[in-house]
Amino acid sequence: MRNYRLKLDLQLFSQEKTEEATPKKKDEARKKGQIARSADLPGSLILIFVFMSFIMMGNYFKTHIMMLFGNLFEDWLLMDVTTGNIMSLFNDVAIEMLLILLPIFAVTVLVGVLGNVVQYGFLLTGDPLKMKLSKLNPINGFKQIFSAKTVVEFLKSVLKLLIVAVLVYMTISKEWNRILVLASLPIQQIFSFTAGLTIKLGIEIGVVLAVLALADFFYQRYEHNKSLRMSKQDIKDEYKKSEGDPIIKSRIRERQRKMAMQRMMQEVPKADVIITNPTHFAIALKYDATKMEAPRIIAKGMDHVALRIREIAKENGVVTMENKPLARALYERAEIGDVIPPDLFQAVAEVLAYVYKMKGRLKS
């Protein structure tokens, strides 16, 4: 009973998601659009840079706003509206409005894109847009509505509203005395004061929201990494799927070794000589002066492989010679299919000359 409970505890422990996600799982989640991002960060950056653009391009905005309202109060209110000039009037208003809004749109698009790229890089995926029946499940919908994530998002929204309200109250309270006397000031001073107060308030709110969004981004990244965590069993299963079952792979390697061994043994009868240690090493050499620049190793082995090479050589009448230093040097310094090292040419040539003499095929 104790062993059974211990085994059950080990199984449960192996299923606990305590391990960091593997690069493969992170890549798969990214392709599905599952990324760590704060939706508030681009918005807060847009707010900051739009109001900063008002400062940097103040003269541009002032000129076009004065042209728009100047024409409106000086010319358009007094003109006779007819079917002939109404289109011209609308075109002039539309062009002035477009010139005023175009820099704001450009800053919004550019900063919005950069705000997302900074968080998770460049990513294009259509997976989140796919139709999934699970999204229509009302039970899952209720779970999402009353989930902890929804509560956190609600609290974040409340916190942002409170902070914005406090900032607005503090800014207006500081300027309250000046606001009370605005009615007695010229139009240009009213416009200048209102614009300056609005820009100051917009930048302050944007900075505060950006700080909150940055904290939210780190929180979202923590939650994202937590949701991708894997159990030890998950990692093992992923390794088996990507690399293959280790047992099957070992069997394949064993099969490949056997096939390579068979091919090597089939070359032994073609050898001119087998150089031995005499028991630990066996190297089969072949030399054909018409095709080879130097003798080539066609088989080699040690211990039981060396014994098998000697047996095949004996069965096929291949000469076997004992030369311990040469056998060890050839085994350690050359592989099957390689020519012999240059510094061993003399020793191998003497062995081949002796073999050819024994066979009555002395070659120069």
Side-chain angles (χ1 to χ4, degrees):
M1 184 67 180
R2 180 179 296 178
N3 292 336
Y4 173 77
R5 290 183 61 184
L6 179 60
K7 184 177 180 181
L8 183 61
D9 291 340
L10 290 174
Q11 289 178 349
L12 292 175
F13 178 75
S14 66
Q15 295 298 325
E16 291 182 0
K17 298 185 181 297
T18 57
E19 306 299 316
E20 290 292 328
T22 60
K24 182 184 178 192
K25 185 169 183 180
K26 290 181 180 178
D27 186 59
E28 290 177 351
R30 180 179 174 82
K31 290 179 180 178
K32 294 178 181 178
Q34 299 174 2
I35 49 178
R37 64 182 293 269
S38 172
D40 299 331
L41 187 58
S44 60
L45 293 177
I46 289 173
L47 188 63
I48 293 173
F49 282 95
V50 165
F51 279 97
M52 288 182 65
S53 69
F54 292 153
I55 298 176
M56 293 182 290
M57 303 176 64
N59 291 329
Y60 172 86
F61 286 110
K62 179 181 177 182
T63 300
H64 287 282
I65 290 174
M66 294 300 293
M67 288 178 63
L68 176 63
F69 288 98
N71 291 332
L72 175 63
F73 292 115
E74 294 178 5
D75 301 327
W76 298 336
L77 290 179
L78 301 176
M79 69 184 294
D80 294 329
V81 178
T82 64
T83 56
N85 62 16
I86 190 66
M87 289 305 299
S88 176
L89 173 62
F90 280 128
N91 286 337
D92 292 341
V93 173
I95 291 173
E96 289 298 331
M97 292 293 294
L98 183 62
L99 290 175
I100 293 172
L101 296 176
L102 190 60
I104 299 175
F105 290 155
V107 171
T108 300
V109 173
L110 181 61
V111 175
V113 172
L114 291 177
N116 285 299
V117 171
V118 166
Q119 294 185 77
Y120 52 84
F122 187 76
L123 176 64
L124 288 176
T125 178
D127 192 86
L129 302 177
K130 292 180 179 179
M131 182 64 181
K132 296 179 181 179
L133 296 178
S134 59
K135 294 181 179 180
L136 303 178
N137 190 339
I139 298 176
N140 292 337
F142 280 114
K143 288 181 179 179
Q144 291 179 357
I145 292 174
F146 299 103
S147 64
K149 183 177 180 181
T150 305
V151 174
V152 171
E153 293 296 327
F154 174 74
L155 293 176
K156 282 164 44 182
S157 301
V158 172
L159 178 62
K160 287 187 290 186
L161 287 174
L162 289 175
I163 291 176
V164 170
V166 170
L167 284 175
V168 172
Y169 173 77
M170 292 175 61
T171 303
I172 292 178
S173 62
K174 290 179 181 179
E175 304 291 341
W176 185 248
N177 292 330
R178 295 185 63 184
I179 293 174
L180 292 177
V181 298
L182 283 179
S184 60
L185 297 177
I187 255 301
Q188 189 170 1
Q189 292 185 20
I190 295 174
F191 178 79
S192 177
F193 172 78
T194 306
L197 184 64
T198 304
I199 292 173
K200 176 185 176 183
L201 192 58
I203 293 177
E204 288 179 353
I205 293 174
V207 170
V208 172
L209 292 181
V211 173
L212 293 177
L214 191 62
D216 179 58
F217 168 70
F218 287 110
Y219 171 76
Q220 295 294 340
R221 188 167 68 174
Y222 167 77
E223 286 293 325
H224 177 68
N225 292 335
K226 184 179 178 181
S227 67
L228 293 180
R229 283 180 184 174
M230 306 170 67
S231 64
K232 296 182 183 297
Q233 187 61 41
D234 291 336
I235 295 176
K236 291 179 182 179
D237 294 340
E238 182 186 284
Y239 177 79
K240 287 182 180 180
K241 289 180 181 179
S242 59
E243 302 293 334
D245 193 327
I247 298 177
I248 296 177
K249 290 182 67 176
S250 64
R251 291 177 181 174
I252 292 174
R253 286 194 295 267
E254 182 64 24
R255 179 73 175 175
Q256 291 173 342
R257 283 195 295 268
K258 289 181 179 180
M259 293 175 65
M261 185 69 66
Q262 291 176 357
R263 289 194 298 269
M264 185 183 71
M265 293 303 177
Q266 291 173 358
E267 295 294 320
V268 173
K270 303 175 185 178
D272 292 317
V273 63
I274 307 296
I275 301 177
T276 65
N277 194 27
T279 56
H280 295 297
F281 300 101
I283 294 89
L285 299 179
K286 180 175 177 59
Y287 179 58
D288 186 347
T290 60
K291 299 179 181 179
M292 304 177 185
E293 297 181 356
R296 190 179 300 275
I297 298 174
I298 60 174
K300 74 171 189 175
M302 63 182 298
D303 297 334
H304 69 279
V305 178
L307 176 61
R308 182 58 183 158
I309 291 175
R310 292 196 302 272
E311 291 175 351
I312 296 176
K314 185 176 181 180
E315 293 172 359
N316 292 271
V318 179
V319 178
T320 301
M321 292 190 62
E322 179 183 337
N323 189 324
K324 295 181 181 180
L326 182 58
R328 179 177 289 275
L330 289 172
Y331 185 87
E332 293 177 351
R333 297 175 55 188
E335 300 297 329
I336 298 172
D338 295 344
V339 297
I340 62 173
D343 57 325
L344 299 179
F345 280 179
Q346 181 65 33
V348 173
E350 293 175 358
V351 171
L352 290 176
Y354 178 76
V355 171
Y356 294 150
K357 185 175 181 180
M358 288 179 59
K359 293 183 177 181
R361 298 187 298 154
L362 182 62
K363 295 183 180 181
S364 58

